[in-house]
Amino acid sequence: MTGDDLVAALRSEAAARYHDKHPFHRAMHEGALTRAQLQAWVANRFYYQSRIPIKDALIVAKSEDPAFRRAWLRRIGDHDGALEGEGGLSQWLALAEGVGLARDEVRSFTAVLPRAKQACDRYVSFVREGSLVAAVASSLTELFAPDLMAVRITSWERHYPWVDREALGYFRGRVTRARRDGDEALGFVLARATDDATGEACLAAFRTKCEILWTLLDAVAERFGIGAA
Amino acid sequence: MTGDDLVAALRSEAAARYHDKHPFHRAMHEGALTRAQLQAWVANRFYYQSRIPIKDALIVAKSEDPAFRRAWLRRIGDHDGALEGEGGLSQWLALAEGVGLARDEVRSFTAVLPRAKQACDRYVSFVREGSLVAAVASSLTELFAPDLMAVRITSWERHYPWVDREALGYFRGRVTRARRDGDEALGFVLARATDDATGEACLAAFRTKCEILWTLLDAVAERFGIGAA
């Protein structure tokens, strides 16, 4: 498996299984979700967001290379912020307020569905137990996030005008950050996945991650439905 | 157990078991070590140093609090540096050169004794498997580091004049950093160790950490002796 083969395989997986293909996600971007469904997604997805710095710290702990750790540490800072009130988690809580949820309620995870929680916890376990290269490969969904974020901003602004535009800051920030993070992670994976076994392990990790994102949407759709009845 | 009781118990443990009481460490500060013994300590202790960012990332991954993670993340940066060639690990490699060792050899851990390696790996396992508060409590040896570093600088400058003074930068930096880190960790532990069971667990974690530092010195002394024969 060459690097080009691996990239092609990742693209093919993403085309079939990345969460933008999920009926709930399609409905979100088509403007078909109800306010309650959008709120449920924001509240449940916050649990996923809250796992990101934790899984990233586990990735840092797997590396013997100060340069790698230094670069990956930045991701934790991106989500936790350099100061109180900054960073992706705060931005997501602003999004929660923007869709009409109470910040503290979202932060307390009370609305998180068991199946959504399990999916996110599975991601953390996967990273904790797996190899460094597989853990990094599981982050490669970032490669497909920038385009999706750009579409999401336009879609939300058009279809959900009741959401404060200012509240979409997280999505805006991710367009650039996800591109940088995805490219960096891909470079790392391609440099190491030079044998078939490692390439397959990376592809499997990517598939697992796609499943996790998919299950999160399954959980919300199962409980709240998709669109007005 | 009150906070004062816990602090008193930590001080009492440190007075008996902190590694400055180890015969090898006493000999180091008395100027009694041979060049080979000092080199062996620097090379073996580098393996310990290299575990610090890893165990700190594991501590970050245990916390649900962005403010805690943000503060603790700084420790990883202190050791890995903000840029290539900066940070505590680079400073330790400069120290290794200062005592006449080859940087790349030290970095490759080839001179690390199995028993020293085991002790350091035990520290990482302890942090990985334990609770957050116990993991933080195991770092409280930092409380006793600033005074020791100050003595070490004076002692090395006097007794080992063949070591370049510039190479002692790591010890100099730790005087301030260890004080800040130790105080921060103590505040965290005292706020949580409000029941006897947690207090005892923190004390046990501190004792384990003292044992680990002690064993590292045992390993070096066992192989290289203490002072000229």
Side-chain angles (χ1 to χ4, degrees):
Chain A
M1 197 192 289
T2 66
D4 286 350
D5 291 341
L6 181 53
V7 171
L10 290 169
R11 292 202 177 283
S12 155
E13 283 294 330
R17 289 176 235 254
Y18 187 47
H19 66 162
D20 63 337
K21 307 301 182 303
H22 191 287
F24 188 91
H25 201 291
R26 283 180 191 269
M28 185 205 298
H29 282 200
E30 285 160 7
L33 294 191
T34 65
R35 186 181 168 102
Q37 287 161 354
L38 208 58
Q39 288 178 334
W41 177 73
V42 169
N44 277 273
R45 173 83 189 191
F46 182 66
Y47 186 68
Y48 176 86
Q49 298 298 130
S50 76
R51 299 305 92 185
I52 298 176
I54 293 173
K55 69 93 187 166
D56 280 330
L58 290 170
I59 288 177
V60 168
K62 280 179 192 291
S63 170
E64 293 284 334
D65 177 9
F68 175 88
R69 292 195 297 253
R70 187 185 300 131
W72 207 272
L73 220 56
R74 192 195 55 219
R75 295 171 185 240
I76 304 176
D78 282 347
H79 289 274
D80 283 340
L83 294 168
E84 192 65 44
E86 295 183 355
L89 291 176
S90 282
Q91 286 183 305
W92 197 276
L93 291 170
L95 176 70
E97 287 188 321
V99 300
L101 295 169
R103 178 181 284 253
D104 284 347
E105 215 173 295
V106 173
R107 186 154 41 192
S108 68
F109 305 135
T110 43
V112 178
L113 297 161
R115 212 180 147 199
K117 184 172 183 301
Q118 276 164 26
C120 302
D121 290 345
R122 186 185 165 208
Y123 186 27
V124 174
S125 302
F126 180 83
V127 167
R128 180 181 285 118
E129 289 150 27
S131 69
L132 174 59
V133 70
V136 171
S138 71
S139 80
L140 287 176
T141 44
E142 296 283 18
L143 287 172
F144 308 98
D147 291 347
L148 190 59
M149 291 302 111
V151 171
R152 186 175 293 163
I153 295 159
T154 313
S155 152
W156 281 46
E157 286 179 349
R158 181 165 21 156
H159 298 302
Y160 309 106
W162 51 273
V163 181
D164 181 8
R165 284 178 176 224
E166 290 299 308
L168 306 182
Y170 179 79
F171 302 146
R172 284 194 198 94
R174 289 312 294 170
V175 176
T176 319
R177 291 212 175 86
R179 184 163 289 128
R180 179 205 62 193
D181 291 353
D183 288 348
E184 221 175 59
L186 183 62
F188 182 88
V189 166
L190 290 180
R192 278 145 195 90
T194 49
D195 60 290
D196 282 4
T198 310
E200 287 299 342
C202 289
L203 209 49
F206 182 79
R207 217 175 275 133
T208 297
K209 169 71 172 298
C210 286
E211 264 173 43
I212 285 161
L213 294 172
W214 195 274
T215 305
L216 177 63
L217 297 179
D218 271 353
V220 178
E222 185 180 67
R223 172 70 185 75
F224 290 89
I226 300 175
Chain B
M1 196 191 290
T2 66
D4 286 350
D5 291 341
L6 182 53
V7 171
L10 290 168
R11 292 202 178 284
S12 155
E13 283 293 331
R17 289 176 234 254
Y18 188 46
H19 65 162
D20 63 339
K21 308 301 182 299
H22 192 286
F24 187 91
H25 201 292
R26 283 179 191 270
M28 186 204 299
H29 282 201
E30 285 160 9
L33 293 190
T34 65
R35 187 183 169 102
Q37 288 161 354
L38 207 60
Q39 288 179 334
W41 176 73
V42 169
N44 277 273
R45 172 83 190 192
F46 182 66
Y47 187 68
Y48 176 85
Q49 298 298 130
S50 77
R51 298 306 93 187
I52 298 176
I54 293 173
K55 69 92 187 165
D56 280 331
L58 290 170
I59 289 177
V60 169
K62 281 180 192 291
S63 170
E64 292 285 335
D65 177 9
F68 174 89
R69 292 194 298 251
R70 189 185 299 132
W72 207 271
L73 221 56
R74 191 197 53 219
R75 296 171 184 240
I76 304 176
D78 282 347
H79 288 274
D80 283 340
L83 294 169
E84 193 65 43
E86 295 183 355
L89 291 176
S90 283
Q91 285 183 305
W92 197 276
L93 291 171
L95 175 70
E97 287 187 322
V99 299
L101 295 169
R103 178 181 284 253
D104 283 347
E105 215 173 295
V106 173
R107 185 154 42 192
S108 68
F109 305 134
T110 42
V112 178
L113 298 162
R115 211 179 148 200
K117 185 172 182 301
Q118 277 164 25
C120 302
D121 290 344
R122 186 185 164 207
Y123 186 28
V124 175
S125 300
F126 180 83
V127 167
R128 182 182 284 119
E129 289 150 25
S131 68
L132 174 60
V133 70
V136 171
S138 71
S139 80
L140 287 175
T141 44
E142 295 284 17
L143 287 172
F144 308 97
D147 291 348
L148 191 60
M149 290 303 110
V151 172
R152 186 175 293 162
I153 295 160
T154 313
S155 152
W156 280 46
E157 285 179 350
R158 181 163 21 152
H159 297 302
Y160 308 107
W162 51 272
V163 180
D164 180 8
R165 284 178 176 225
E166 291 299 307
L168 307 182
Y170 179 77
F171 302 147
R172 286 196 195 94
R174 288 313 293 170
V175 176
T176 318
R177 291 213 175 86
R179 184 162 289 129
R180 180 203 62 192
D181 290 353
D183 289 349
E184 221 176 59
L186 183 62
F188 182 87
V189 166
L190 291 180
R192 277 147 196 89
T194 51
D195 60 290
D196 283 4
T198 310
E200 287 300 342
C202 289
L203 209 49
F206 182 79
R207 216 175 275 132
T208 298
K209 170 70 173 297
C210 284
E211 264 173 42
I212 286 161
L213 294 173
W214 195 274
T215 305
L216 178 63
L217 297 179
D218 272 352
V220 178
E222 186 179 68
R223 172 72 184 74
F224 292 88
I226 300 176

